[in-house]
Amino acid sequence: MNDLGRLRVRDLSVTFRVPGALVRAVSEATFEVRPGRCLALVGESGCGKSVLAHALLGLLPANASVRGRAWLTCGEQPAEPVELIGAPQAVLAGKVRGRAIGLIPQSPATHLTPVRTARAQLREAVRELRSHATADELAARFGLRPEELDRYPHELSGGMAQRVANAIALAGDPWLVLADEPTGGLDRSLVDRTMATLRELCDEGRAVLLITHDLRAAERVADDLAVMYAGRLVETGPVAEVLGRPRHPYTAGLVAAQPDRAFVPVPGLPPELTRLPPGCAFRPRCGRHTERCATVPAMDGGVACHHPLGGRHA
Ligand SMILES: Nc1ncnc2c1ncn2[C@@H]1O[C@H](COP(=O)(O)OP(=O)(O)O)[C@@H](O)[C@H]1O
Ligand code: SF4
Ligand SMILES: [Mg+2]
């Protein structure tokens, strides 16, 4: 296991052409995930998190158009960055998916073949990706008992299917782990176990991009946080700093909506990605807006807001 594995993403945008409209799913995302660190990407459902992850792996459908760049520097010396956006499918399939980058998918059921047992699928991944670990070792890491591996996907609970998918994602010993809502359908003890495993992966030197709408999970596992609103990153920084002293009004709203805080949801709804308002997309829900907010605020010092909280621009 090498400890190099740095993902750099610059101005990544994804749009989908649908009849009569353009879905602006991701707008100009710029961020970095470093080896040995976990970056949590948080935001409400539908804000573009999974689309961003799929863009990095070349897994978007034909109606998608992707702009911007993303590089993964892998652990071979000299470390040649692999260009991810626009890479031929043969490169993505042969070098990236499952090997350089392991994807823990949001809907594991769609990633498992219905007619083969979990063990057969895990063994295939172990063989194809030349894993150092056995199927049973990988399964044990995610709390699966050996006899559970003999089941077919329809005989697995949602939680078990998720754990099988997690084990498959790690079979290729990837440098970067993309975990897209890895705890969906899991009970509290398995959430804890999965989160502890993600932390271990970081501590072994891998880079982890954790996609979640669960701020508490992000707070427990991640080192850094990136907050996404309507396809755009609005605040980034060390997780304790961002959640302890949010500067973007949307981040402040998310923090206040937590059950252990005021438990007051952010008023209003996010905009349709086919009809983003001009300027700052949070403007219709923001109590601090002024006429300056009619232009899109640039990311400056970790916050993209014309009037950040607690800052010198307030
Ligand atoms: N193939 C597609 N065609 C059109 N729109 C899509 C397609 N895939 C995703 N979208 C839209 O992109 C937006 C972001 O979706 P997604 O990334 O799945 O959100 P989430 O943050 O919940 O993971 C949503 O509005 C979704 O409807
Ligand atoms: S740019 Fe303006 S509207 Fe947007 S979050 Fe900041 S203050 Fe609110
Ligand atoms: Mg998603």
Side-chain angles (χ1 to χ4, degrees), residues 248-250 280 282-283 286 288-290 293 297 304-308:
H248 194 283
Y250 175 60
C280 175
F282 191 57
R283 190 164 50 134
C286 182
R288 295 171 71 82
H289 73 89
T290 66
C293 308
C305 173
H306 292 299
H307 309 289

Side-chain angles (χ1 to χ4, degrees), residues 123-180:
R123 278 202 177 140
E124 183 183 10
V126 162
R127 197 171 47 245
E128 274 188 8
L129 300 167
R130 295 192 200 93
S131 177
H132 301 303
T134 64
D136 284 317
E137 282 166 355
L138 286 166
R141 184 158 205 181
F142 284 97
L144 282 161
R145 290 195 301 274
E147 64 272 20
E148 288 169 339
L149 286 184
D150 292 322
R151 299 187 189 176
Y152 288 88
H154 74 273
E155 296 171 322
L156 298 169
S157 67
M160 281 183 208
Q162 180 74 62
R163 282 178 278 153
V164 172
N166 292 357
I168 289 174
L170 283 189
D173 206 8
W175 282 298
L176 171 73
V177 176
L178 277 182
D180 191 357

Side-chain angles (χ1 to χ4, degrees), residues 42-158:
V42 299
E44 285 162 292
S45 179
C47 76
K49 305 181 299 294
S50 296
V51 167
L52 191 155
H54 286 113
L56 297 174
L57 291 165
L59 289 175
L60 292 173
N63 67 331
S65 151
V66 185
R67 280 183 294 117
R69 298 186 71 185
W71 308 264
L72 183 70
T73 311
C74 294
E76 280 145 16
Q77 292 296 348
E80 269 292 311
V82 182
E83 184 91 49
L84 300 175
I85 306 303
Q89 281 298 327
V91 171
L92 293 168
K95 278 190 170 177
V96 175
R97 293 197 286 264
R99 295 171 205 270
I101 304 180
L103 173 68
I104 296 182
Q106 184 169 0
S107 349
T110 59
H111 284 251
L112 296 174
T113 309
V115 295
R116 300 178 61 213
T117 64
R119 182 186 303 284
Q121 297 184 57
L122 193 49
R123 278 202 177 140
E124 183 183 10
V126 162
R127 197 171 47 245
E128 274 188 8
L129 300 167
R130 295 192 200 93
S131 177
H132 301 303
T134 64
D136 284 317
E137 282 166 355
L138 286 166
R141 184 158 205 181
F142 284 97
L144 282 161
R145 290 195 301 274
E147 64 272 20
E148 288 169 339
L149 286 184
D150 292 322
R151 299 187 189 176
Y152 288 88
H154 74 273
E155 296 171 322
L156 298 169
S157 67

Side-chain angles (χ1 to χ4, degrees), residues 186-256:
L186 302 187
D187 66 28
R188 186 41 59 193
S189 70
L190 285 170
V191 169
D192 289 346
R193 186 166 186 150
T194 303
M195 288 298 157
T197 305
L198 289 177
R199 193 59 244 172
E200 271 170 44
L201 295 174
C202 284
D203 296 342
E204 288 168 4
R206 281 174 242 252
V208 173
L209 177 57
L210 166 65
I211 292 176
T212 179
H213 60 263
D214 181 351
L215 279 193
R216 274 225 193 121
E219 195 166 23
R220 264 192 309 159
V221 178
D223 303 289
D224 303 300
L225 196 67
V227 182
M228 193 177 217
Y229 184 75
R232 202 173 271 281
L233 296 185
V234 294
E235 184 159 7
T236 60
V239 69
E241 224 169 88
V242 175
L243 295 181
R245 213 161 46 91
R247 299 188 59 215
H248 194 283
Y250 175 60
T251 316
L254 282 182
V255 171

